[in-house]
């Protein structure tokens, strides 16, 4: 089908006409996308079946990555890239008069995640397949992904994201592999041959139906599986509901209520405390996932005490922690294992990644809710807790406090992180600093108990999507300088260092950046009707909106720049275009205020004749994977300015670095490791260090009021938040922001870090003028970004946590057992 351009063109034309029943000049871009998508999907199908067969025959351990979120984005372009046919298809379509990029735009973004955590899962799947590991995803097929954001009069408005409206060419529904998930009911105990046997009766049964999405490895013929579960009613309308006494409408109501389990993604990346439906979703994922894994294992006809030889379950944060008691339940209630043997199996199978630093953000569920919704699972958790606390008392005689702190059930809450740590053989943080904080502070008790379980795996991103696909002109220039080894060995990007001082290469890098800026500028023109100066610095902050990420610090600094220009219209500033992209959780009031503030600032500075040539601000609506792919290649400056100690790792920082943006950042998350590689010559550091932040929290001594009174610039911008400041169009006043900084003493140290940030930005503005020196910094960033490729991260997980080796490689399949 794709062997050469002519074959492709012929085959494609035929299919297009066959599929649409239209003449070739009548087809729409939608038709073209659908026809091309199904053609690619078919091509993948061949290797998909072969991969599954190979894994089964090979017999090596397979990894299942459980995650409530997979922020996949679009697949067409990446699948073409990984299949090695991107060029053929682009040229072939071109000769037929179509632009592949426009066709790619027809695909709905699969937005089954909120932000970093979900995107990490998607990057990991790409690396697993591309490195030839037997590693699959297990998630939920939400009918509605993360909401679509519109900005109306500067406010965020949320619209439902019905991403499946036009169908999904990549997925395959596997009704034959559906499993039953049971909620509610009551547990009955019987004695069989002197053993207690438990069974849940009168529960509500929900079918979990898998939709499989192929995950294509890069030019290695491996195709792994992302299995997404959809909830369907298991009740048979001909029995009960459909009987003469039953009621057809009752059945439809029931069916609808059951199917809400996979209806939508919770649009908040930390806050769903007490939401019954969310707990249902988590158990649904875990139970369906575990059952399906065991079915696959059954094909091997091995005893279950060898499960861990063949299966590894990895849980992405605590959301899928119920996999632990669920596997215990099945081993004990259905496979007749005793507690100790079952426990041994479970803890050898499961490993866990922690993503949360703050203990108050750790996931807990009301004990009563778990007991009622999942009665048998609750019994098992309770027994785990009983045994765990008893063993702790033995380990730490007399230390009742410590035992209470570490208990799995305490104060009427089930503590998911404690369950996850106790039930896993490995617990990892996602950046060196984060892991350090876990060991020394947040999980100190557990680290003392299980030091050998804790380890670090610094996050990484797939350079295939974020460099090769999102920034093809940069990829081409890199290839021209160092060849193509880096495509399968991203650490080889390091070879670019030899070209950092090469004036010709610097010119090429500069010119690629400029082209990407023009592309983004034309997108902005389409959206906002404003012409952007592509010689200005493109200063980018794109990520979820959160107080700790401090978009507010960025915004206050722009207000200050505005003031300085107004005071001195001939001020010698390098022109800047500030670009924001950020969704706020729908119920997060302060975050939404900050979005409104940024849009008001944009309105003021973009329209003031004195400032608009020096200062532009754009808030690009609906930040998503596909928007990220447009913005990131065009960035000069990457804003990574979270309060030190708050960002577990960050991955946006890595994407921007890999695309040659220079970071202005705090020593937080993976920025710390970036700085280790880059130093002051290629990165701009500012702000409080973690120890200083902690000291303030511990000992007090920080006064936002004092800074307000001492720093005139700070005082002025804060006062401008209040009506009738220059950013208070339509009578809008930002009192809540003002008070969060002054009355509530600025929890995230925005004012404390303001002066340092403004000075650093001043330096950036000046340094940018030396275009040779700036290109050099940019090249160093690209060169050192290989360390943050997902391939490096996944190789570490594979060897240090899962104990697996690659099965596929570009040369073929590695030897079987
Ligand atoms: C990478 C990514 C994120 C994470 O960005 P951070 O800066 O690490 O918070 C969030 N959303 C999308 C769409 C992404 O691609």
């Amino acid at each position: 089908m794709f062997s050469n351009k002519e074959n492709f063109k012929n085959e494609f034309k035929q299919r297009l006409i066959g599929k649409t029943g239209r003449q070739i000049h009548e087809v729409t871009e939608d038709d073209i996308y659908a026809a091309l998508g199904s053609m690619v999907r078919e091509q993948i199908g061949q290797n998909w079946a072969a991969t599954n067969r190979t894994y089964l025959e090979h017999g090596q351990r397979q990894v299942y990555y459980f995650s409530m979120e997979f922020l996949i984005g679009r697949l067409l372009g990446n699948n073409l890239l990984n299949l090695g046919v991107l060029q053929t298809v682009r040229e072939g379509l071109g000769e037929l008069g179509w632009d592949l990029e426009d066709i790619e735009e027809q695909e709905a973004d699969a937005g089954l995640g909120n932000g970093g955590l979900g995107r990490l899962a998607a990057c990991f799947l790409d690396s697993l397949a591309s490195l030839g590991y037997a590693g699959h995803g297990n998630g939920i097929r939400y009918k509605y992904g993360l909401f679509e954001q519109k900005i109306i009069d500067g406010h965020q408005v949320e619209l439902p994201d019905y991403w499946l409206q036009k169908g999904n060419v990549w997925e395959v529904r596997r009704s034959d592999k559906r499993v039953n998930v049971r909620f509610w009911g009551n547990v009955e105990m019987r004695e069989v041959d002197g053993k207690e046997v438990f069974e849940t009766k009168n529960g509500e049964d929900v079918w979990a139906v898998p939709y499989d999405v192929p995950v294509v490895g890069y030019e290695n013929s491996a195709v792994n599986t992302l299995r997404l579960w959809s909830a369907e009613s298991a009740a048979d309308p001909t029995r009960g509901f459909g009987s003469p006494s039953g009621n057809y409408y009752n059945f439809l109501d029931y069916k609808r209520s059951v199917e809400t389990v996979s209806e939508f993604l919770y649009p908040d990346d930390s806050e769903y405390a007490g939401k019954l439906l969310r707990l249902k979703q988590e158990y649904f994922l875990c139970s369906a996932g575990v059952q399906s894994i065991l079915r696959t294992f059954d094909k091997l006809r091995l005893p279950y005490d060898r499960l861990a030889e063949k299966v590894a379950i990895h849980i992405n944060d605590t959301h899928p922690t119920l996999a632990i008691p669920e596997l215990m339940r099945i081993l004990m209630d259905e496979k007749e294992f005793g507690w100790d043997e079952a426990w041994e199996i479970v803890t050898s199978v499961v490993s866990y990644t922690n993503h949360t630093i703050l203990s108050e953000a750790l996931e807990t569920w009301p004990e009563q809710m778990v007991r009622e919704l999942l009665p048998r699972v609750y019994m098992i958790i309770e027994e785990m807790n009983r045994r765990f606390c008893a063993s702790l008392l033995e380990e730490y005689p007399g230390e009742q406090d410590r035992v209470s702190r570490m208990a799995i059930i305490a104060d009427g809450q089930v503590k998911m992180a404690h369950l996850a740590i106790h039930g896993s053989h490995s617990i990892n943080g996602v950046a060196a600093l984060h892991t350090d904080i876990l060991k020394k502070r947040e999980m100190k008790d557990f680290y003392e108990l299980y030091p050998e379980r804790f380890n670090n795996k610094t996050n990484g991103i797939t350079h295939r999507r974020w460099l090769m696909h999102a920034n093809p002109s940069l990829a081409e220039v890199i290839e021209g300088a160092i060849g193509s080894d880096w495509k399968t060995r991203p650490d080889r990007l390091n070879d670019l260092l030899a070209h950092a001082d090469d004036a010709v290469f610097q010119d090429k890098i500069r010119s690629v950046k400029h082209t990407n800026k023009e592309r983004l500028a034309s997108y902005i023109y389409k959206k906002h009707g404003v012409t952007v100066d592509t010689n200005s610095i493109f200063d980018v902050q794109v990520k979820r909106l959160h107080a700790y990420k401090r978009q507010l610090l960025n915004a206050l600094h722009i207000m200050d720049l505005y003031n300085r220009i107004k005071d001195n219209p001939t001020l010698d500033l390098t022109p800047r275009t500030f670009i924001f992209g950020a969704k706020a959780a729908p119920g997060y009031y302060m975050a939404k205020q900050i979005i409104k503030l940024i849009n008001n600032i944009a309105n003021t500075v973009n329209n003031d004749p004195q400032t608009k040539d020096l200062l532009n601000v754009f808030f690009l609506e609906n930040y998503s994977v596909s928007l990220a792919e447009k913005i990131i290649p065009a960035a000069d400056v990457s804003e990574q300015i979270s309060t030190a100690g708050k960002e577990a790792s960050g991955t946006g920082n890595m994407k921007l670095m890999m695309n040659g943006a220079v970071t202005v950042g705090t020593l937080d998350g993976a920025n710390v490791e970036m700085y280790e590689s880059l130093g002051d010559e290629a990165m701009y550091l500012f702000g409080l260090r973690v120890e200083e932040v902690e000291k303030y929290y511990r000992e007090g001594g920080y006064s936002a009021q004092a800074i307000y009174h001492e720093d005139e610039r700070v005082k002025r911008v804060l006062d401008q938040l209040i009506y009738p400041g220059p950013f208070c169009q339509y009578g809008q006043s930002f009192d809540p922001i003002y008070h969060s900084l002054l009355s509530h003493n600025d929890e995230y140290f925005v004012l404390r870090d303001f002066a340092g940030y403004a000075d650093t930005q001043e330096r950036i503005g000046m340094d940018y003028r030396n275009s040779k020196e700036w290109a050099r910094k940019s090249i160093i960033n690209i060169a050192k970004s290989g360390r943050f490729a997902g391939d490096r991260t996944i190789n570490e997980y594979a060897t240090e946590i899962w104990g697996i080796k690659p099965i596929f490689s570009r040369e073929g399949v590695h030897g079987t057992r």
Side-chain angles (χ1 to χ4, degrees), residues 552 590 704-705 718 721-722 733-747 751:
L552 183 56
M590 194 60 81
Q705 287 278 353
L718 287 204
L721 291 171
I722 308 296
S733 192
F734 296 95
D735 302 53
I737 298 179
Y738 179 90
H739 290 300
S740 79
L741 295 173
L742 290 177
S743 319
H744 301 289
N745 204 32
D746 183 17
E747 187 181 347
L751 305 190

mmCIF file of all heavy atoms in Angstrom, residues 552 590 704-705 718 721-722 733-747 751:
data_model
loop_
_atom_site.group_PDB
_atom_site.id
_atom_site.type_symbol
_atom_site.label_atom_id
_atom_site.label_comp_id
_atom_site.label_asym_id
_atom_site.label_seq_id
_atom_site.Cartn_x
_atom_site.Cartn_y
_atom_site.Cartn_z
ATOM 1 N N LEU A 552 0.666 33.888 37.396
ATOM 2 C CA LEU A 552 0.456 35.233 37.940
ATOM 3 C C LEU A 552 1.759 36.037 38.005
ATOM 4 O O LEU A 552 1.762 37.247 37.761
ATOM 5 C CB LEU A 552 -0.181 35.116 39.332
ATOM 6 C CG LEU A 552 -0.538 36.420 40.031
ATOM 7 C CD1 LEU A 552 -1.466 37.279 39.188
ATOM 8 C CD2 LEU A 552 -1.194 36.119 41.395
ATOM 9 N N MET A 590 -9.888 30.947 41.449
ATOM 10 C CA MET A 590 -8.719 31.824 41.341
ATOM 11 C C MET A 590 -8.024 31.638 39.991
ATOM 12 O O MET A 590 -7.577 32.609 39.366
ATOM 13 C CB MET A 590 -7.758 31.513 42.489
ATOM 14 C CG MET A 590 -6.690 32.545 42.692
ATOM 15 S SD MET A 590 -7.348 34.186 43.078
ATOM 16 C CE MET A 590 -7.682 34.000 44.817
ATOM 17 N N ALA A 704 4.530 39.327 52.717
ATOM 18 C CA ALA A 704 4.185 39.878 51.410
ATOM 19 C C ALA A 704 3.942 41.380 51.539
ATOM 20 O O ALA A 704 4.336 42.159 50.673
ATOM 21 C CB ALA A 704 2.958 39.172 50.858
ATOM 22 N N GLN A 705 3.335 41.765 52.647
ATOM 23 C CA GLN A 705 3.054 43.189 52.903
ATOM 24 C C GLN A 705 4.337 44.007 52.877
ATOM 25 O O GLN A 705 4.373 45.105 52.315
ATOM 26 C CB GLN A 705 2.399 43.351 54.286
ATOM 27 C CG GLN A 705 0.956 42.885 54.359
ATOM 28 C CD GLN A 705 -0.014 43.939 53.841
ATOM 29 O OE1 GLN A 705 0.371 45.074 53.546
ATOM 30 N NE2 GLN A 705 -1.276 43.551 53.680
ATOM 31 N N LEU A 718 0.267 45.774 41.941
ATOM 32 C CA LEU A 718 -0.810 45.229 42.778
ATOM 33 C C LEU A 718 -1.977 46.204 42.853
ATOM 34 O O LEU A 718 -3.138 45.809 42.721
ATOM 35 C CB LEU A 718 -0.295 44.889 44.184
ATOM 36 C CG LEU A 718 0.601 43.656 44.297
ATOM 37 C CD1 LEU A 718 0.564 43.090 45.718
ATOM 38 C CD2 LEU A 718 0.225 42.556 43.324
ATOM 39 N N LEU A 721 -4.440 46.063 40.099
ATOM 40 C CA LEU A 721 -5.404 44.952 40.015
ATOM 41 C C LEU A 721 -6.802 45.432 40.403
ATOM 42 O O LEU A 721 -7.807 44.797 40.120
ATOM 43 C CB LEU A 721 -4.993 43.808 40.953
ATOM 44 C CG LEU A 721 -3.725 43.033 40.579
ATOM 45 C CD1 LEU A 721 -3.316 42.093 41.713
ATOM 46 C CD2 LEU A 721 -3.930 42.246 39.285
ATOM 47 N N ILE A 722 -6.818 46.546 41.104
ATOM 48 C CA ILE A 722 -8.082 47.054 41.648
ATOM 49 C C ILE A 722 -8.651 48.128 40.720
ATOM 50 O O ILE A 722 -7.915 48.971 40.210
ATOM 51 C CB ILE A 722 -7.831 47.666 43.058
ATOM 52 C CG1 ILE A 722 -7.093 46.657 43.957
ATOM 53 C CG2 ILE A 722 -9.142 48.114 43.683
ATOM 54 C CD1 ILE A 722 -7.858 45.403 44.269
ATOM 55 N N SER A 733 -12.563 44.039 38.425
ATOM 56 C CA SER A 733 -11.559 44.308 39.444
ATOM 57 C C SER A 733 -11.048 42.965 39.949
ATOM 58 O O SER A 733 -11.825 42.021 40.061
ATOM 59 C CB SER A 733 -12.188 45.115 40.578
ATOM 60 O OG SER A 733 -11.192 45.607 41.433
ATOM 61 N N PHE A 734 -9.757 42.902 40.211
ATOM 62 C CA PHE A 734 -9.182 41.596 40.570
ATOM 63 C C PHE A 734 -8.875 41.510 42.058
ATOM 64 O O PHE A 734 -7.806 41.068 42.461
ATOM 65 C CB PHE A 734 -7.951 41.326 39.704
ATOM 66 C CG PHE A 734 -8.297 41.207 38.234
ATOM 67 C CD1 PHE A 734 -8.203 42.295 37.388
ATOM 68 C CD2 PHE A 734 -8.759 39.998 37.722
ATOM 69 C CE1 PHE A 734 -8.544 42.199 36.041
ATOM 70 C CE2 PHE A 734 -9.104 39.883 36.379
ATOM 71 C CZ PHE A 734 -8.996 40.985 35.536
ATOM 72 N N ASP A 735 -9.840 41.937 42.847
ATOM 73 C CA ASP A 735 -9.655 41.932 44.304
ATOM 74 C C ASP A 735 -9.245 40.567 44.872
ATOM 75 O O ASP A 735 -8.380 40.503 45.740
ATOM 76 C CB ASP A 735 -10.940 42.412 45.007
ATOM 77 C CG ASP A 735 -11.341 43.801 44.562
ATOM 78 O OD1 ASP A 735 -11.455 44.012 43.334
ATOM 79 O OD2 ASP A 735 -11.525 44.667 45.421
ATOM 80 N N PRO A 736 -9.858 39.470 44.402
ATOM 81 C CA PRO A 736 -9.466 38.183 44.989
ATOM 82 C C PRO A 736 -7.984 37.866 44.774
ATOM 83 O O PRO A 736 -7.332 37.290 45.659
ATOM 84 C CB PRO A 736 -10.338 37.160 44.241
ATOM 85 C CG PRO A 736 -11.500 37.945 43.716
ATOM 86 C CD PRO A 736 -10.972 39.313 43.431
ATOM 87 N N ILE A 737 -7.448 38.261 43.627
ATOM 88 C CA ILE A 737 -6.018 38.025 43.394
ATOM 89 C C ILE A 737 -5.201 38.909 44.340
ATOM 90 O O ILE A 737 -4.263 38.454 45.008
ATOM 91 C CB ILE A 737 -5.646 38.323 41.923
ATOM 92 C CG1 ILE A 737 -6.409 37.377 40.979
ATOM 93 C CG2 ILE A 737 -4.140 38.192 41.712
ATOM 94 C CD1 ILE A 737 -6.127 37.598 39.503
ATOM 95 N N TYR A 738 -5.597 40.160 44.402
ATOM 96 C CA TYR A 738 -4.927 41.127 45.284
ATOM 97 C C TYR A 738 -4.887 40.589 46.712
ATOM 98 O O TYR A 738 -3.845 40.576 47.366
ATOM 99 C CB TYR A 738 -5.707 42.448 45.212
ATOM 100 C CG TYR A 738 -5.199 43.573 46.068
ATOM 101 C CD1 TYR A 738 -4.258 44.463 45.577
ATOM 102 C CD2 TYR A 738 -5.690 43.758 47.361
ATOM 103 C CE1 TYR A 738 -3.802 45.527 46.354
ATOM 104 C CE2 TYR A 738 -5.235 44.806 48.149
ATOM 105 C CZ TYR A 738 -4.289 45.687 47.634
ATOM 106 O OH TYR A 738 -3.840 46.724 48.402
ATOM 107 N N HIS A 739 -6.039 40.094 47.175
ATOM 108 C CA HIS A 739 -6.097 39.613 48.564
ATOM 109 C C HIS A 739 -5.331 38.320 48.776
ATOM 110 O O HIS A 739 -4.766 38.105 49.841
ATOM 111 C CB HIS A 739 -7.552 39.478 49.020
ATOM 112 C CG HIS A 739 -8.212 40.815 49.199
ATOM 113 N ND1 HIS A 739 -7.751 41.756 50.089
ATOM 114 C CD2 HIS A 739 -9.262 41.390 48.558
ATOM 115 C CE1 HIS A 739 -8.499 42.852 50.013
ATOM 116 N NE2 HIS A 739 -9.428 42.653 49.073
ATOM 117 N N SER A 740 -5.298 37.475 47.748
ATOM 118 C CA SER A 740 -4.528 36.229 47.918
ATOM 119 C C SER A 740 -3.052 36.578 48.125
ATOM 120 O O SER A 740 -2.328 35.876 48.828
ATOM 121 C CB SER A 740 -4.702 35.309 46.701
ATOM 122 O OG SER A 740 -3.885 35.744 45.628
ATOM 123 N N LEU A 741 -2.617 37.658 47.521
ATOM 124 C CA LEU A 741 -1.215 38.054 47.661
ATOM 125 C C LEU A 741 -0.966 38.809 48.963
ATOM 126 O O LEU A 741 0.053 38.576 49.621
ATOM 127 C CB LEU A 741 -0.793 38.928 46.468
ATOM 128 C CG LEU A 741 -0.814 38.206 45.112
ATOM 129 C CD1 LEU A 741 -0.548 39.186 43.978
ATOM 130 C CD2 LEU A 741 0.201 37.073 45.079
ATOM 131 N N LEU A 742 -1.874 39.679 49.325
ATOM 132 C CA LEU A 742 -1.596 40.534 50.489
ATOM 133 C C LEU A 742 -2.273 40.072 51.770
ATOM 134 O O LEU A 742 -1.609 39.867 52.781
ATOM 135 C CB LEU A 742 -1.971 41.990 50.166
ATOM 136 C CG LEU A 742 -1.017 42.629 49.137
ATOM 137 C CD1 LEU A 742 -1.450 44.044 48.784
ATOM 138 C CD2 LEU A 742 0.423 42.623 49.649
ATOM 139 N N SER A 743 -3.587 39.846 51.729
ATOM 140 C CA SER A 743 -4.252 39.442 52.984
ATOM 141 C C SER A 743 -3.871 38.014 53.362
ATOM 142 O O SER A 743 -3.814 37.678 54.534
ATOM 143 C CB SER A 743 -5.769 39.543 52.841
ATOM 144 O OG SER A 743 -6.123 40.702 52.132
ATOM 145 N N HIS A 744 -3.640 37.171 52.356
ATOM 146 C CA HIS A 744 -3.330 35.780 52.680
ATOM 147 C C HIS A 744 -1.844 35.469 52.549
ATOM 148 O O HIS A 744 -1.436 34.311 52.427
ATOM 149 C CB HIS A 744 -4.180 34.840 51.821
ATOM 150 C CG HIS A 744 -5.650 35.057 52.030
ATOM 151 N ND1 HIS A 744 -6.291 34.693 53.184
ATOM 152 C CD2 HIS A 744 -6.575 35.675 51.257
ATOM 153 C CE1 HIS A 744 -7.569 35.051 53.096
ATOM 154 N NE2 HIS A 744 -7.768 35.649 51.940
ATOM 155 N N ASN A 745 -1.057 36.498 52.531
ATOM 156 C CA ASN A 745 0.405 36.392 52.581
ATOM 157 C C ASN A 745 1.003 35.508 51.489
ATOM 158 O O ASN A 745 1.971 34.786 51.720
ATOM 159 C CB ASN A 745 0.869 35.924 53.967
ATOM 160 C CG ASN A 745 2.310 36.355 54.240
ATOM 161 O OD1 ASN A 745 2.753 37.404 53.772
ATOM 162 N ND2 ASN A 745 3.048 35.534 54.981
ATOM 163 N N ASP A 746 0.410 35.540 50.299
ATOM 164 C CA ASP A 746 1.125 35.083 49.108
ATOM 165 C C ASP A 746 1.752 33.690 49.269
ATOM 166 O O ASP A 746 2.966 33.534 49.266
ATOM 167 C CB ASP A 746 2.206 36.139 48.795
ATOM 168 C CG ASP A 746 2.993 35.856 47.532
ATOM 169 O OD1 ASP A 746 2.546 35.043 46.708
ATOM 170 O OD2 ASP A 746 4.067 36.476 47.382
ATOM 171 N N GLU A 747 0.894 32.703 49.363
ATOM 172 C CA GLU A 747 1.330 31.334 49.652
ATOM 173 C C GLU A 747 2.429 30.833 48.705
ATOM 174 O O GLU A 747 3.268 30.005 49.074
ATOM 175 C CB GLU A 747 0.102 30.399 49.545
ATOM 176 C CG GLU A 747 0.382 28.999 49.990
ATOM 177 C CD GLU A 747 -0.839 28.082 49.854
ATOM 178 O OE1 GLU A 747 -1.967 28.596 49.640
ATOM 179 O OE2 GLU A 747 -0.639 26.861 49.964
ATOM 180 N N LEU A 751 5.421 37.492 45.144
ATOM 181 C CA LEU A 751 6.038 38.811 45.368
ATOM 182 C C LEU A 751 7.502 38.649 45.770
ATOM 183 O O LEU A 751 8.360 39.434 45.355
ATOM 184 C CB LEU A 751 5.271 39.593 46.435
ATOM 185 C CG LEU A 751 3.769 39.779 46.175
ATOM 186 C CD1 LEU A 751 3.180 40.777 47.172
ATOM 187 C CD2 LEU A 751 3.502 40.226 44.743
#
